[in-house]
Structures are given as structure tokens and as C-alpha cells.
Amino acid sequence: MVLNTLSGDVAADYAHKHLDRTRTDGLGRTIHRCGDTGVDWTEERSASGYGDDVVVLRRNLR
């Protein structure tokens, strides 16, 4: 099984501990790369409805 989207604490933890930040795309999104697989992930912020943003990671499909 391949995960294409992660969100919340799982996404924030995965980005912080496993991915390397590579650049921003000019639209407020951060692009990360997995050093093990070479897969790029786009980090977005989504409003939670409770005042804090939720981290959403979307796998970039090539």
C-alpha cells in the first residue's frame, strides 16, 4: 500500500523527522524530499476550524 496523503500530527512528525525541506513553491507551500526514496512531498496548511492550522502532506506523483 502507498500513502499519498498524510495529515495532522502524523504529517507534521513525518515531515520533521524523516523529510528534508528543499524549497517553497511561491504559493506558501513547502516542498520536502525523502532521502531514502527520492519522493517529493508538498506540505500545505489547512484550517482546522479550531484556530490552529493542520499540516497536510501530499505525495507528488511523477
Short mmCIF file of all heavy atoms in Angstrom, two decimals:
data_model
loop_
_atom_site.label_atom_id
_atom_site.label_comp_id
_atom_site.label_asym_id
_atom_site.label_seq_id
_atom_site.Cartn_x
_atom_site.Cartn_y
_atom_site.Cartn_z
N MET A 1 0.84 -1.17 0.00
CA MET A 1 0.00 0.00 0.00
C MET A 1 0.90 1.24 0.00
O MET A 1 1.90 1.31 0.69
CB MET A 1 -0.90 0.00 1.24
CG MET A 1 -1.75 1.22 1.32
SD MET A 1 -3.02 1.16 2.59
CE MET A 1 -2.09 1.57 4.04
N VAL A 2 0.50 2.25 -0.78
CA VAL A 2 1.23 3.50 -0.86
C VAL A 2 0.33 4.61 -0.34
O VAL A 2 -0.81 4.75 -0.76
CB VAL A 2 1.64 3.81 -2.31
CG1 VAL A 2 2.28 5.18 -2.41
CG2 VAL A 2 2.57 2.74 -2.85
N LEU A 3 0.85 5.39 0.61
CA LEU A 3 0.11 6.53 1.13
C LEU A 3 0.42 7.75 0.27
O LEU A 3 1.57 8.04 0.00
CB LEU A 3 0.48 6.81 2.58
CG LEU A 3 0.08 5.76 3.60
CD1 LEU A 3 0.63 6.12 4.97
CD2 LEU A 3 -1.43 5.63 3.65
N ASN A 4 -0.63 8.46 -0.15
CA ASN A 4 -0.45 9.65 -0.95
C ASN A 4 -0.72 10.93 -0.18
O ASN A 4 -0.35 12.00 -0.62
CB ASN A 4 -1.35 9.60 -2.19
CG ASN A 4 -0.90 8.53 -3.16
OD1 ASN A 4 0.29 8.36 -3.40
ND2 ASN A 4 -1.83 7.79 -3.70
N THR A 5 -1.40 10.81 0.98
CA THR A 5 -1.73 11.98 1.79
C THR A 5 -1.60 11.63 3.26
O THR A 5 -2.07 10.58 3.69
CB THR A 5 -3.17 12.45 1.52
OG1 THR A 5 -3.33 12.69 0.12
CG2 THR A 5 -3.49 13.73 2.28
N LEU A 6 -0.96 12.51 4.01
CA LEU A 6 -0.89 12.41 5.46
C LEU A 6 -1.37 13.74 6.03
O LEU A 6 -1.17 14.78 5.41
CB LEU A 6 0.55 12.17 5.92
CG LEU A 6 1.25 10.91 5.44
CD1 LEU A 6 2.73 10.99 5.80
CD2 LEU A 6 0.63 9.69 6.07
N SER A 7 -1.98 13.71 7.22
CA SER A 7 -2.42 14.97 7.80
C SER A 7 -2.30 14.94 9.32
O SER A 7 -2.14 13.88 9.92
CB SER A 7 -3.87 15.28 7.40
OG SER A 7 -4.74 14.31 7.92
N GLY A 8 -2.36 16.13 9.89
CA GLY A 8 -2.33 16.26 11.34
C GLY A 8 -0.97 16.00 11.93
O GLY A 8 0.07 16.26 11.31
N ASP A 9 -0.97 15.46 13.15
CA ASP A 9 0.27 15.20 13.88
C ASP A 9 1.17 14.21 13.15
O ASP A 9 2.39 14.31 13.19
CB ASP A 9 -0.02 14.69 15.29
CG ASP A 9 -0.66 15.75 16.18
OD1 ASP A 9 -0.51 16.96 15.87
OD2 ASP A 9 -1.30 15.37 17.17
N VAL A 10 0.55 13.24 12.47
CA VAL A 10 1.34 12.24 11.74
C VAL A 10 2.14 12.91 10.63
O VAL A 10 3.32 12.65 10.44
CB VAL A 10 0.42 11.14 11.15
CG1 VAL A 10 1.18 10.23 10.22
CG2 VAL A 10 -0.22 10.34 12.26
N ALA A 11 1.50 13.82 9.89
CA ALA A 11 2.18 14.53 8.81
C ALA A 11 3.28 15.43 9.35
O ALA A 11 4.39 15.47 8.80
CB ALA A 11 1.17 15.34 8.00
N ALA A 12 3.00 16.16 10.40
CA ALA A 12 3.99 17.07 10.99
C ALA A 12 5.20 16.29 11.49
O ALA A 12 6.35 16.69 11.27
CB ALA A 12 3.37 17.88 12.11
N ASP A 13 4.97 15.17 12.15
CA ASP A 13 6.04 14.34 12.67
C ASP A 13 6.88 13.74 11.54
O ASP A 13 8.11 13.74 11.59
CB ASP A 13 5.45 13.24 13.56
CG ASP A 13 6.51 12.50 14.34
OD1 ASP A 13 7.33 13.16 15.01
OD2 ASP A 13 6.53 11.25 14.28
N TYR A 14 6.21 13.24 10.51
CA TYR A 14 6.91 12.64 9.37
C TYR A 14 7.78 13.68 8.66
O TYR A 14 8.94 13.43 8.34
CB TYR A 14 5.89 12.04 8.39
CG TYR A 14 6.51 11.26 7.26
CD1 TYR A 14 7.09 10.03 7.48
CD2 TYR A 14 6.49 11.75 5.96
CE1 TYR A 14 7.66 9.30 6.45
CE2 TYR A 14 7.05 11.04 4.92
CZ TYR A 14 7.63 9.82 5.16
OH TYR A 14 8.18 9.09 4.14
N ALA A 15 7.23 14.88 8.45
CA ALA A 15 7.99 15.94 7.79
C ALA A 15 9.20 16.35 8.63
O ALA A 15 10.29 16.54 8.10
CB ALA A 15 7.09 17.14 7.52
N HIS A 16 8.99 16.48 9.91
CA HIS A 16 10.06 16.94 10.81
C HIS A 16 11.18 15.91 10.97
O HIS A 16 12.36 16.26 10.94
CB HIS A 16 9.47 17.30 12.17
CG HIS A 16 10.48 17.72 13.17
ND1 HIS A 16 11.13 18.94 13.12
CD2 HIS A 16 10.98 17.09 14.26
CE1 HIS A 16 11.97 19.03 14.12
NE2 HIS A 16 11.90 17.92 14.83
N LYS A 17 10.81 14.65 11.11
CA LYS A 17 11.81 13.63 11.43
C LYS A 17 12.37 12.89 10.23
O LYS A 17 13.45 12.31 10.31
CB LYS A 17 11.20 12.60 12.39
CG LYS A 17 10.90 13.18 13.76
CD LYS A 17 10.34 12.13 14.68
CE LYS A 17 10.06 12.72 16.06
NZ LYS A 17 9.43 11.73 16.94
N HIS A 18 11.65 12.88 9.10
CA HIS A 18 12.05 11.99 8.02
C HIS A 18 12.36 12.72 6.70
O HIS A 18 13.12 12.22 5.89
CB HIS A 18 10.96 10.95 7.79
CG HIS A 18 11.32 9.89 6.82
ND1 HIS A 18 12.21 8.88 7.12
CD2 HIS A 18 10.94 9.68 5.54
CE1 HIS A 18 12.35 8.09 6.07
NE2 HIS A 18 11.60 8.56 5.09
N LEU A 19 11.76 13.89 6.48
CA LEU A 19 11.91 14.56 5.19
C LEU A 19 12.87 15.73 5.27
O LEU A 19 13.05 16.33 6.32
CB LEU A 19 10.55 15.07 4.70
CG LEU A 19 9.46 14.01 4.52
CD1 LEU A 19 8.16 14.67 4.11
CD2 LEU A 19 9.88 12.95 3.50
N ASP A 20 13.48 16.05 4.14
CA ASP A 20 14.36 17.20 4.02
C ASP A 20 13.63 18.31 3.28
O ASP A 20 13.12 18.10 2.17
CB ASP A 20 15.63 16.84 3.23
CG ASP A 20 16.44 15.75 3.91
OD1 ASP A 20 16.61 15.81 5.15
OD2 ASP A 20 16.89 14.83 3.20
N ARG A 21 13.58 19.49 3.89
CA ARG A 21 12.94 20.64 3.24
C ARG A 21 13.82 21.07 2.08
O ARG A 21 15.02 21.30 2.26
CB ARG A 21 12.79 21.76 4.25
CG ARG A 21 12.10 22.98 3.72
CD ARG A 21 12.00 24.02 4.78
NE ARG A 21 11.20 23.51 5.88
CZ ARG A 21 10.33 24.21 6.56
NH1 ARG A 21 10.17 25.48 6.31
NH2 ARG A 21 9.64 23.67 7.53
N THR A 22 13.25 21.20 0.88
CA THR A 22 14.05 21.55 -0.28
C THR A 22 13.78 22.96 -0.80
O THR A 22 14.70 23.65 -1.20
CB THR A 22 13.85 20.55 -1.44
OG1 THR A 22 12.47 20.51 -1.80
CG2 THR A 22 14.33 19.17 -1.03
N ARG A 23 12.50 23.39 -0.80
CA ARG A 23 12.18 24.72 -1.33
C ARG A 23 10.73 25.07 -1.03
O ARG A 23 9.98 24.23 -0.56
CB ARG A 23 12.41 24.76 -2.84
CG ARG A 23 11.44 23.89 -3.62
CD ARG A 23 11.77 23.85 -5.11
NE ARG A 23 10.76 23.19 -5.88
CZ ARG A 23 10.58 21.87 -5.97
NH1 ARG A 23 11.39 21.07 -5.32
NH2 ARG A 23 9.62 21.36 -6.71
N THR A 24 10.36 26.30 -1.34
CA THR A 24 8.95 26.69 -1.32
C THR A 24 8.54 26.94 -2.77
O THR A 24 9.38 27.23 -3.63
CB THR A 24 8.71 27.96 -0.48
OG1 THR A 24 9.52 29.00 -0.98
CG2 THR A 24 9.04 27.71 0.99
N ASP A 25 7.25 26.83 -3.03
CA ASP A 25 6.80 26.94 -4.42
C ASP A 25 6.21 28.29 -4.78
O ASP A 25 5.68 28.48 -5.85
CB ASP A 25 5.80 25.83 -4.74
CG ASP A 25 4.48 25.99 -4.02
OD1 ASP A 25 4.32 26.93 -3.22
OD2 ASP A 25 3.57 25.17 -4.28
N GLY A 26 6.28 29.28 -3.89
CA GLY A 26 5.75 30.60 -4.18
C GLY A 26 4.28 30.75 -3.87
O GLY A 26 3.73 31.83 -3.97
N LEU A 27 3.62 29.66 -3.52
CA LEU A 27 2.20 29.70 -3.16
C LEU A 27 2.00 29.40 -1.68
O LEU A 27 0.91 29.06 -1.25
CB LEU A 27 1.41 28.70 -4.00
CG LEU A 27 1.41 28.94 -5.50
CD1 LEU A 27 0.73 27.77 -6.23
CD2 LEU A 27 0.72 30.25 -5.85
N GLY A 28 3.09 29.50 -0.91
CA GLY A 28 3.00 29.23 0.52
C GLY A 28 3.14 27.77 0.89
O GLY A 28 2.95 27.39 2.04
N ARG A 29 3.47 26.93 -0.08
CA ARG A 29 3.65 25.51 0.19
C ARG A 29 5.14 25.18 0.22
O ARG A 29 5.93 25.77 -0.51
CB ARG A 29 2.96 24.67 -0.89
CG ARG A 29 1.47 24.93 -0.94
CD ARG A 29 0.80 24.15 -2.02
NE ARG A 29 1.31 24.58 -3.33
CZ ARG A 29 0.73 24.27 -4.48
NH1 ARG A 29 -0.36 23.52 -4.50
NH2 ARG A 29 1.24 24.68 -5.62
N THR A 30 5.51 24.24 1.08
CA THR A 30 6.89 23.80 1.21
C THR A 30 7.05 22.44 0.56
O THR A 30 6.22 21.56 0.78
CB THR A 30 7.29 23.72 2.69
OG1 THR A 30 7.08 25.00 3.29
CG2 THR A 30 8.75 23.33 2.85
N ILE A 31 8.10 22.28 -0.22
CA ILE A 31 8.38 21.00 -0.87
C ILE A 31 9.47 20.31 -0.07
O ILE A 31 10.49 20.90 0.26
CB ILE A 31 8.85 21.19 -2.32
CG1 ILE A 31 7.89 22.11 -3.10
CG2 ILE A 31 9.04 19.84 -3.01
CD1 ILE A 31 6.47 21.62 -3.15
N HIS A 32 9.23 19.04 0.27
CA HIS A 32 10.17 18.21 1.01
C HIS A 32 10.56 17.02 0.14
O HIS A 32 9.80 16.60 -0.72
CB HIS A 32 9.53 17.66 2.28
CG HIS A 32 9.04 18.69 3.23
ND1 HIS A 32 9.83 19.22 4.22
CD2 HIS A 32 7.83 19.29 3.36
CE1 HIS A 32 9.13 20.10 4.92
NE2 HIS A 32 7.91 20.15 4.42
N ARG A 33 11.72 16.45 0.42
CA ARG A 33 12.15 15.25 -0.29
C ARG A 33 12.54 14.18 0.72
O ARG A 33 13.21 14.45 1.71
CB ARG A 33 13.34 15.54 -1.18
CG ARG A 33 13.88 14.24 -1.81
CD ARG A 33 14.68 14.46 -3.01
NE ARG A 33 13.77 14.85 -4.08
CZ ARG A 33 14.17 15.27 -5.26
NH1 ARG A 33 15.44 15.36 -5.53
NH2 ARG A 33 13.31 15.60 -6.18
N CYS A 34 12.14 12.96 0.44
CA CYS A 34 12.53 11.81 1.24
C CYS A 34 13.92 11.36 0.78
O CYS A 34 14.10 11.02 -0.40
CB CYS A 34 11.53 10.66 1.08
SG CYS A 34 12.03 9.15 1.93
N GLY A 35 14.89 11.37 1.69
CA GLY A 35 16.25 10.96 1.36
C GLY A 35 16.38 9.49 1.02
O GLY A 35 17.28 9.10 0.29
N ASP A 36 15.46 8.67 1.53
CA ASP A 36 15.52 7.23 1.28
C ASP A 36 14.97 6.85 -0.09
O ASP A 36 15.51 5.98 -0.76
CB ASP A 36 14.74 6.46 2.35
CG ASP A 36 15.37 6.61 3.72
OD1 ASP A 36 16.59 6.85 3.82
OD2 ASP A 36 14.63 6.49 4.72
N THR A 37 13.85 7.47 -0.49
CA THR A 37 13.17 7.07 -1.72
C THR A 37 13.26 8.08 -2.84
O THR A 37 12.95 7.76 -3.99
CB THR A 37 11.67 6.80 -1.45
OG1 THR A 37 11.05 8.04 -1.06
CG2 THR A 37 11.48 5.74 -0.39
N GLY A 38 13.62 9.34 -2.52
CA GLY A 38 13.66 10.38 -3.53
C GLY A 38 12.30 10.96 -3.86
O GLY A 38 12.17 11.78 -4.77
N VAL A 39 11.27 10.56 -3.13
CA VAL A 39 9.91 11.05 -3.37
C VAL A 39 9.76 12.45 -2.79
O VAL A 39 10.21 12.72 -1.68
CB VAL A 39 8.87 10.09 -2.73
CG1 VAL A 39 7.47 10.68 -2.78
CG2 VAL A 39 8.91 8.74 -3.41
N ASP A 40 9.13 13.34 -3.56
CA ASP A 40 8.84 14.69 -3.10
C ASP A 40 7.44 14.74 -2.48
O ASP A 40 6.52 14.08 -2.96
CB ASP A 40 8.88 15.69 -4.25
CG ASP A 40 10.30 15.96 -4.74
OD1 ASP A 40 11.25 15.72 -3.97
OD2 ASP A 40 10.45 16.41 -5.88
N TRP A 41 7.32 15.53 -1.41
CA TRP A 41 6.06 15.76 -0.72
C TRP A 41 5.81 17.25 -0.65
O TRP A 41 6.73 18.02 -0.39
CB TRP A 41 6.11 15.20 0.70
CG TRP A 41 6.18 13.71 0.78
CD1 TRP A 41 7.30 12.93 0.64
CD2 TRP A 41 5.11 12.81 1.02
NE1 TRP A 41 6.99 11.61 0.80
CE2 TRP A 41 5.64 11.51 1.04
CE3 TRP A 41 3.74 12.98 1.25
CZ2 TRP A 41 4.85 10.39 1.25
CZ3 TRP A 41 2.97 11.86 1.47
CH2 TRP A 41 3.51 10.58 1.47
N THR A 42 4.57 17.68 -0.85
CA THR A 42 4.19 19.08 -0.72
C THR A 42 3.46 19.26 0.60
O THR A 42 2.48 18.55 0.87
CB THR A 42 3.28 19.51 -1.88
OG1 THR A 42 3.99 19.33 -3.11
CG2 THR A 42 2.88 20.97 -1.74
N GLU A 43 3.95 20.19 1.41
CA GLU A 43 3.32 20.50 2.70
C GLU A 43 2.39 21.70 2.53
O GLU A 43 2.79 22.74 2.03
CB GLU A 43 4.39 20.84 3.74
CG GLU A 43 3.81 21.26 5.07
CD GLU A 43 4.88 21.69 6.06
OE1 GLU A 43 6.04 21.26 5.93
OE2 GLU A 43 4.54 22.47 6.96
N GLU A 44 1.16 21.50 2.93
CA GLU A 44 0.17 22.58 2.91
C GLU A 44 -0.37 22.75 4.31
O GLU A 44 -0.26 21.86 5.15
CB GLU A 44 -0.99 22.23 1.97
CG GLU A 44 -0.55 21.97 0.54
CD GLU A 44 -1.67 21.46 -0.33
OE1 GLU A 44 -2.76 21.16 0.19
OE2 GLU A 44 -1.44 21.33 -1.54
N ARG A 45 -0.94 23.89 4.56
CA ARG A 45 -1.59 24.15 5.85
C ARG A 45 -3.08 24.27 5.58
O ARG A 45 -3.50 24.97 4.68
CB ARG A 45 -1.07 25.44 6.49
CG ARG A 45 0.42 25.42 6.77
CD ARG A 45 0.73 24.47 7.90
NE ARG A 45 2.17 24.33 8.08
CZ ARG A 45 2.73 24.20 9.25
NH1 ARG A 45 2.02 24.19 10.35
NH2 ARG A 45 4.03 24.04 9.34
N SER A 46 -3.88 23.58 6.36
CA SER A 46 -5.32 23.60 6.22
C SER A 46 -5.93 24.06 7.53
O SER A 46 -5.53 23.60 8.60
CB SER A 46 -5.81 22.20 5.85
OG SER A 46 -7.21 22.16 5.78
N ALA A 47 -6.88 24.95 7.45
CA ALA A 47 -7.55 25.44 8.67
C ALA A 47 -8.29 24.30 9.34
O ALA A 47 -8.98 23.52 8.69
CB ALA A 47 -8.51 26.56 8.32
N SER A 48 -8.12 24.18 10.65
CA SER A 48 -8.75 23.09 11.39
C SER A 48 -10.15 23.44 11.85
O SER A 48 -10.91 22.56 12.23
CB SER A 48 -7.91 22.74 12.63
OG SER A 48 -7.97 23.81 13.56
N GLY A 49 -10.48 24.71 11.84
CA GLY A 49 -11.76 25.13 12.37
C GLY A 49 -11.71 25.43 13.85
O GLY A 49 -12.67 25.90 14.45
N TYR A 50 -10.56 25.15 14.48
CA TYR A 50 -10.38 25.37 15.91
C TYR A 50 -9.28 26.36 16.20
O TYR A 50 -8.76 26.42 17.30
CB TYR A 50 -10.10 24.05 16.63
CG TYR A 50 -11.24 23.09 16.56
CD1 TYR A 50 -11.23 22.04 15.66
CD2 TYR A 50 -12.35 23.24 17.38
CE1 TYR A 50 -12.29 21.17 15.59
CE2 TYR A 50 -13.42 22.37 17.32
CZ TYR A 50 -13.39 21.33 16.42
OH TYR A 50 -14.44 20.48 16.34
N GLY A 51 -8.86 27.14 15.19
CA GLY A 51 -7.85 28.18 15.41
C GLY A 51 -6.45 27.81 14.98
O GLY A 51 -5.67 28.68 14.66
N ASP A 52 -6.10 26.54 14.97
CA ASP A 52 -4.75 26.12 14.55
C ASP A 52 -4.81 25.51 13.16
O ASP A 52 -5.80 24.89 12.78
CB ASP A 52 -4.18 25.08 15.52
CG ASP A 52 -3.90 25.65 16.90
OD1 ASP A 52 -3.61 26.85 16.99
OD2 ASP A 52 -4.00 24.89 17.87
N ASP A 53 -3.73 25.69 12.41
CA ASP A 53 -3.64 25.04 11.11
C ASP A 53 -3.24 23.59 11.27
O ASP A 53 -2.55 23.22 12.22
CB ASP A 53 -2.58 25.73 10.24
CG ASP A 53 -3.03 27.09 9.74
OD1 ASP A 53 -4.23 27.38 9.80
OD2 ASP A 53 -2.17 27.85 9.28
N VAL A 54 -3.66 22.76 10.34
CA VAL A 54 -3.31 21.35 10.31
C VAL A 54 -2.35 21.14 9.15
O VAL A 54 -2.58 21.62 8.04
CB VAL A 54 -4.58 20.48 10.10
CG1 VAL A 54 -4.21 19.02 9.91
CG2 VAL A 54 -5.53 20.64 11.26
N VAL A 55 -1.25 20.45 9.41
CA VAL A 55 -0.29 20.13 8.36
C VAL A 55 -0.86 19.01 7.50
O VAL A 55 -1.34 18.00 8.00
CB VAL A 55 1.06 19.68 8.96
CG1 VAL A 55 2.01 19.20 7.87
CG2 VAL A 55 1.68 20.80 9.76
N VAL A 56 -0.79 19.23 6.18
CA VAL A 56 -1.21 18.20 5.22
C VAL A 56 -0.04 17.97 4.27
O VAL A 56 0.49 18.92 3.70
CB VAL A 56 -2.45 18.64 4.41
CG1 VAL A 56 -2.82 17.59 3.38
CG2 VAL A 56 -3.63 18.91 5.34
N LEU A 57 0.38 16.72 4.13
CA LEU A 57 1.44 16.34 3.19
C LEU A 57 0.80 15.56 2.05
O LEU A 57 0.04 14.62 2.28
CB LEU A 57 2.48 15.45 3.86
CG LEU A 57 3.48 16.09 4.79
CD1 LEU A 57 4.34 15.00 5.44
CD2 LEU A 57 4.35 17.09 4.08
N ARG A 58 1.12 15.99 0.83
CA ARG A 58 0.62 15.27 -0.35
C ARG A 58 1.83 14.79 -1.16
O ARG A 58 2.73 15.57 -1.46
CB ARG A 58 -0.23 16.19 -1.22
CG ARG A 58 -1.45 16.68 -0.51
CD ARG A 58 -2.37 17.46 -1.43
NE ARG A 58 -3.36 18.19 -0.66
CZ ARG A 58 -4.42 17.67 -0.08
NH1 ARG A 58 -4.63 16.38 -0.14
NH2 ARG A 58 -5.27 18.41 0.59
N ARG A 59 1.82 13.51 -1.46
CA ARG A 59 2.91 12.92 -2.24
C ARG A 59 2.82 13.43 -3.67
O ARG A 59 1.76 13.42 -4.28
CB ARG A 59 2.77 11.40 -2.23
CG ARG A 59 3.89 10.69 -2.90
CD ARG A 59 3.72 9.20 -2.69
NE ARG A 59 4.90 8.54 -3.15
CZ ARG A 59 4.89 7.40 -3.81
NH1 ARG A 59 3.76 6.78 -4.04
NH2 ARG A 59 6.01 6.85 -4.19
N ASN A 60 3.94 13.91 -4.19
CA ASN A 60 3.99 14.40 -5.57
C ASN A 60 4.18 13.20 -6.49
O ASN A 60 5.19 12.51 -6.43
CB ASN A 60 5.12 15.40 -5.77
CG ASN A 60 4.92 16.64 -4.91
OD1 ASN A 60 3.85 16.88 -4.40
ND2 ASN A 60 5.98 17.39 -4.75
N LEU A 61 3.20 12.99 -7.34
CA LEU A 61 3.27 11.89 -8.29
C LEU A 61 3.97 12.37 -9.55
O LEU A 61 3.72 13.46 -10.03
CB LEU A 61 1.87 11.39 -8.61
CG LEU A 61 1.06 10.95 -7.39
CD1 LEU A 61 -0.36 10.59 -7.82
CD2 LEU A 61 1.72 9.80 -6.69
N ARG A 62 4.85 11.56 -10.05
CA ARG A 62 5.61 11.95 -11.25
C ARG A 62 5.00 11.33 -12.48
O ARG A 62 4.43 10.38 -12.57
CB ARG A 62 7.05 11.53 -11.13
CG ARG A 62 7.74 12.26 -10.03
CD ARG A 62 9.15 11.86 -9.95
NE ARG A 62 9.72 12.33 -8.70
CZ ARG A 62 10.97 12.31 -8.42
NH1 ARG A 62 11.81 11.84 -9.28
NH2 ARG A 62 11.41 12.74 -7.28
#
